[in-house]
């Protein structure tokens, strides 16, 4: 059972490494967001990409994302599998 979970998590990590998660949000002229992007926001977008739920607790963020630009977000999946996903935060056009 543990082997199956680990294999599933490794496949999930490989699949997420191929994707880039995009956010278009309101930001100031300096590139600072008027809010933040949390683990729940990222998990919701990942779930849309995957087509099934994604646990926000698998996302390892020291603090919410508050700046425009690319971010590499660490993941800690079931079975001790580690992965990364690229998150691109873009400013909304006004």
């Amino acid at each position: 059972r543990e082997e199956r979970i680990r294999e599933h998590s490794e496949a999930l990590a490989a699949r997420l490494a191929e994707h880039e998660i995009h956010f278009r949000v309101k930001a100031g002229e300096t590139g600072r967001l008027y809010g933040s992007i949390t683990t729940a926001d990222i998990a919701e977008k990942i779930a849309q990409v995957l087509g099934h739920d994604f646990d926000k607790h698998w996302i390892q963020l020291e603090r919410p994302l508050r700046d425009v630009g690319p971010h590499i977000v660490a993941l800690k999946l079931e079975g001790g599998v580690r992965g990364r996903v690229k998150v691109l935060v873009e400013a909304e056009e006004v």
Side-chain angles (χ1 to χ4, degrees):
R1 172 169 147 57
E2 289 178 16
E3 181 68 22
R4 261 196 340 263
I5 289 172
R6 190 177 57 72
E7 287 175 1
H8 179 265
S9 292
E10 287 173 351
L12 186 59
R15 187 170 171 201
L16 287 173
E18 298 171 358
H19 285 84
E20 188 172 79
I21 308 300
H22 290 264
F23 286 92
R24 291 188 78 67
V25 294
K26 292 183 180 180
E29 292 179 16
T30 63
R32 190 83 168 154
L33 304 185
Y34 288 131
S36 63
I37 296 173
T38 65
T39 56
D41 299 324
I42 296 169
E44 184 179 317
K45 288 279 189 172
I46 290 174
Q48 290 174 3
V49 168
L50 297 175
H52 58 78
D53 289 341
F54 190 84
D55 191 336
K56 70 178 185 176
H57 296 102
W58 294 342
I59 300 169
Q60 305 288 295
L61 270 185
E62 289 182 25
R63 63 186 71 81
L65 304 179
R66 298 183 194 276
D67 296 302
V68 170
H71 303 273
I72 301 297
V73 176
L75 305 173
K76 184 176 180 186
L77 305 173
E78 291 180 301
V81 175
R82 296 197 177 271
R84 299 194 301 172
V85 66
K86 187 173 184 180
V87 175
L88 181 60
V89 181
E90 299 174 314
E92 262 184 7
E93 299 286 328
V94 178

